[in-house]
């Protein structure tokens, strides 16, 4: 029974400024804010803000809804192991500071170690995944992969940090005369554009509908129960594997 008002996009924190003005003017009842650290909101005003963080660090007195990537990555390793793969490559980007990429890589390392799978790692320059339209990001990744992707040799499967990387990898492998998945199986992460790949990409789902639904549940609870800041609560949604056509039995 609630209406949804979307603030943004905009430069830096402008959408947040407009959104909080909406709260102050009683035009909105609560905010759901993605990808914003709680510490970015000033303490003086935050005490009266009904606000839920999504994909942000927990704490700072705000409820948060976050993704747990490990269950999905463990399922991906289990899936590849059952297909006979014994050496997997992680394809990611060197991040300037720990974040979602390091979280995913750490989870993959644990899953591979648990299964006795050898894990190689290839990290591209951080500029390869800068924002912008998907086609621009793929173009940058193609350039980086053409120069930095090592010969795969005994690697029979690649886990990519996200679906955009997976699309660029499939194109690069095709240029090298490698077939997906007959020669190399490919697994993405996010499930935003994986189904549009050729072949449709096996991926770990970011579970965005579930993240959004849980965030709305928390926001509605704040509104209907009159919960005041601080209200510390963290809800975790587990990532899940979506199997499509880009993985098959190891050659």
């Amino acid at each position: 029974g609630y209406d949804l008002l979307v603030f943004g996009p905009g430069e830096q924190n402008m959408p947040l400024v407009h959104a909080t003005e909406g709260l102050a003017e009683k035009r909105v009842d609560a905010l759901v804010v993605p990808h914003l650290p709680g510490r970015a909101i000033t303490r003086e005003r935050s005490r009266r803000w009904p606000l839920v963080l999504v994909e942000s660090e927990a704490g700072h007195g705000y409820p948060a809804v976050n993704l747990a990537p490990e269950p999905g990555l463990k399922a991906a390793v289990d899936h590849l192991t059952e297909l006979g793969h014994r050496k997997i490559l992680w394809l990611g980007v060197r991040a300037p500071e720990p974040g979602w990429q390091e979280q995913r890589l750490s989870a993959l390392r644990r899953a591979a170690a648990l299964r006795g799978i050898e894990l190689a790692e290839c990290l591209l320059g951080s500029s390869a995944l800068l924002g912008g339209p998907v086609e621009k990001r793929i173009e940058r990744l193609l350039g980086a992969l053409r120069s930095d992707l090592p010969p795969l040799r005994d690697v029979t499967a690649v886990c990519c940090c996200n679906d955009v990387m997976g699309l660029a990898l499939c194109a690069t492998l095709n240029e090298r005369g490698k077939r997906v998945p007959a020669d190399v199986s490919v697994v993405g992460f996010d499930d935003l554009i994986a189904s549009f790949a050729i072949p449709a990409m096996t991926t770990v789902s970011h579970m965005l509908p579930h993240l959004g639904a849980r965030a709305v549940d928390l926001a509605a609870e704040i509104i209907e129960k009159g919960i005041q800041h601080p209200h510390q609560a963290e809800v975790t949604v587990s990532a899940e594997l979506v199997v499509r056509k880009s993985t098959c039995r190891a050659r």
Side-chain angles (χ1 to χ4, degrees):
Y2 290 99
D3 293 323
L4 178 66
L5 181 62
V6 178
F7 293 89
E11 296 296 327
Q12 298 178 342
N13 285 332
M14 287 307 296
L16 181 62
V17 172
H18 293 156
T20 53
E21 287 175 353
L23 277 178
E25 297 167 3
K26 307 296 185 183
R27 291 186 288 114
V28 294
D29 298 306
L31 294 182
V32 174
V33 185
H35 306 296
L36 180 75
R39 64 176 180 271
I41 304 173
T42 59
R43 180 177 299 175
E44 291 75 18
R45 298 186 64 188
S46 65
R47 289 178 180 153
R48 54 189 175 85
W49 282 358
L51 186 149
V52 177
L53 301 175
V54 181
E55 287 286 90
S56 305
E57 60 184 299
H60 310 287
Y62 299 103
V65 182
N66 289 313
L67 181 78
E70 191 146 358
L73 288 167
K74 182 179 181 299
V77 172
D78 290 346
H79 170 65
L80 292 173
T81 302
E82 291 165 4
L83 291 173
H85 298 275
R86 294 295 176 264
K87 185 172 182 180
I88 299 171
L89 174 70
W90 166 259
L91 187 56
V93 171
R94 288 188 297 274
E97 58 185 33
W100 59 269
Q101 288 204 69
E102 182 59 35
Q103 185 186 28
R104 294 176 188 181
L105 176 54
S106 296
L108 186 65
R109 286 170 177 160
R110 290 190 291 270
L114 187 65
R115 276 289 201 168
I117 296 297
E118 184 178 354
L119 180 65
E121 299 173 16
C122 177
L123 300 180
L124 306 178
S126 59
S127 62
L129 267 184
L130 290 175
V134 170
E135 61 270 20
K136 291 295 184 183
R137 281 182 282 160
I138 292 177
E139 185 178 322
R140 289 195 300 269
L141 285 169
L142 282 172
L145 287 170
R146 285 165 181 155
S147 57
D148 296 335
L149 182 67
L152 298 182
R153 296 193 177 93
D154 53 343
V155 168
T156 58
V158 181
C159 288
C160 301
C161 64
N162 62 19
D163 291 344
V164 176
M165 181 73 81
L167 287 178
L169 173 65
C170 289
T172 303
L173 291 173
N174 181 65
E175 290 177 353
R176 294 187 178 186
K178 300 281 189 180
R179 298 166 296 165
V180 176
D183 297 319
V184 181
S185 288
V186 175
V187 178
F189 198 112
D190 286 333
D191 202 21
L192 297 179
I193 55 176
S195 63
F196 300 106
I198 300 175
M201 192 187 307
T202 296
T203 193
V204 178
S205 173
H206 209 120
M207 307 298 288
L208 292 179
H210 293 75
L211 290 175
R214 297 308 303 273
V216 168
D217 288 342
L218 287 174
E221 183 181 17
I222 291 172
I223 296 168
E224 293 163 9
K225 293 183 178 180
I227 298 173
Q228 300 297 312
H229 179 86
H231 173 48
Q232 196 94 348
E234 183 172 13
V235 175
T236 300
V237 175
S238 295
E240 295 181 3
L241 181 68
V242 179
V243 178
R244 295 193 177 96
K245 302 294 185 180
S246 66
T247 50
C248 74
R249 185 157 296 280
R251 65 177 184 271

